[in-house]
Amino acid sequence: MKLITSRDNPIFRHLVKLKGSARQRRTAGQTLLDGAHLVSDYNLVLGPAESLVVSEAGSAIAEIKQLLAEHARRGGGDVAMLSDALFREISPVTTPSGVMALIPIPPPETIPFHQSKSGFCVLLEAMQDPGNVGSILRSAAAAGASKIYMSDGCADAWAPKTLRAAMGAHFLLRIYERSDLVEVARTFKGRVVASTLKAKNSLYQLRLTGPTAFVFGSEGTGLSEAMLQASTEQVTIPMPGGMESLNAAAAAAVCFFEKVRQIKTEACNS
């Protein structure tokens, strides 16, 4: 591996653009995975990355050495080594992991379909915080979701910060960005459950064992009137402690695992 130390290097300049620009990621059809865990998850599902990028310090870490060896064994693409200073500039975290992967953004249909007994889908409307989006994807994958639909105005699903927050969920879910959520809701064959503070009915009063689409809105303004009208159910999460609201990712996790709980309870009672 040749050590890259110049900011004028074309590889480094391309990586900087991918880190900072959703438009550049869409144009190139590529994104960056940060950290050995994410890179390994990608390898398991979709094969070796187009290329790996390691820092000078990261190349001496045992876990990263093993990852590099596996990458070579499976016929992965080129490996670039950046000086520690340059690697810090493309890292999405304060303490760099030492390894990143350059990958093509996979079309939803290339993600293996995992339909569990708790299978459901999630609709996100204008949710702008990449950390919240990533956390919701992570909880959705853990609870057995199958598909994610995201409207215009949502944070980029394939931004490095979203990917890092999701911790590999992207490779277990089929993610459809820039979706017409009203149309998705209207054609969904099952309950379309909108989470809103304005609702009178509690989440825990609703039967969730059948096909379900959960709908969550913007952190600041909530769901649009059009999405509320397109839903079949509107629910709120009881908060006896007196807080006015939950973080969007926390509210989503409560909804997902209430569905899991109901399915498990029904299975035990049958």
Side-chain angles (χ1 to χ4, degrees):
M1 292 179 287
K2 182 179 178 180
L3 178 63
I4 298 172
T5 60
S6 171
R7 288 181 174 79
D8 293 326
N9 182 280
I11 295 174
F12 175 72
R13 292 172 65 181
H14 182 59
L15 296 174
V16 169
K17 290 178 181 178
L18 289 178
K19 174 196 174 183
S21 171
R23 178 179 294 180
Q24 182 66 29
R25 289 189 289 271
R26 286 194 296 270
T27 299
Q30 296 174 314
T31 192
L32 295 171
L33 304 180
D34 177 63
H37 173 83
L38 269 185
V39 177
S40 295
D41 283 351
Y42 179 86
N43 288 345
L44 286 172
V45 178
L46 296 169
E50 283 186 352
S51 59
L52 295 184
V53 183
V54 297
S55 68
E56 197 170 3
S59 65
I61 297 173
E63 183 182 22
I64 294 176
K65 284 183 176 181
Q66 184 176 351
L67 191 65
L68 291 173
E70 177 67 11
H71 180 76
R73 187 184 69 79
R74 298 185 65 184
D78 295 339
V79 179
M81 183 188 295
L82 300 183
S83 68
D84 293 339
L86 292 188
F87 193 91
R88 279 194 295 272
E89 291 189 34
I90 63 167
S91 174
V93 293
T94 304
T95 304
S97 66
V99 63
M100 301 182 80
L102 178 66
I103 66 162
I105 295 174
E109 293 74 20
T110 63
I111 302 299
F113 192 76
H114 300 280
Q115 182 66 64
S116 70
K117 290 183 179 180
S118 58
F120 58 93
C121 69
V122 182
L123 282 62
L124 302 180
E125 184 184 42
M127 192 166 289
Q128 299 173 350
D129 184 271
N132 275 340
V133 172
S135 294
I136 288 172
L137 298 184
R138 185 177 183 181
S139 294
S146 55
K147 297 178 181 179
I148 308 292
Y149 297 92
M150 300 171 62
S151 73
D152 282 332
C154 279
D156 181 10
W158 296 94
K161 287 185 178 180
T162 311
L163 283 155
R164 190 169 180 88
M167 291 295 289
H170 286 73
F171 314 127
L172 298 172
L173 299 164
R174 294 187 173 184
I175 301 170
Y176 300 87
E177 294 189 277
R178 297 180 291 283
S179 295
D180 182 343
L181 298 190
V182 171
E183 183 62 22
V184 172
R186 285 175 176 166
T187 58
F188 183 76
K189 294 179 173 59
R191 291 183 184 272
V192 179
V193 181
S195 173
T196 171
L197 294 173
K198 301 175 184 178
K200 295 180 180 179
N201 294 328
S202 164
L203 169 71
Y204 304 119
Q205 296 173 317
L206 192 63
R207 188 171 183 268
L208 297 169
T209 51
T212 309
F214 289 106
V215 190
F216 303 95
S218 163
E219 295 90 346
T221 59
L223 288 165
S224 66
E225 188 60 33
M227 279 310 306
L228 291 173
Q229 291 296 325
S231 66
T232 60
E233 314 283 348
Q234 296 179 25
V235 298
T236 189
I237 298 171
M239 290 175 281
M243 292 296 292
E244 291 184 1
S245 64
L246 286 172
N247 169 276
V254 170
C255 293
F256 301 158
F257 285 95
E258 172 60 14
K259 179 174 176 62
V260 172
R261 185 196 68 79
Q262 289 189 22
I263 290 171
K264 295 291 186 184
T265 300
E266 183 178 81
C268 289
N269 293 336
S270 62

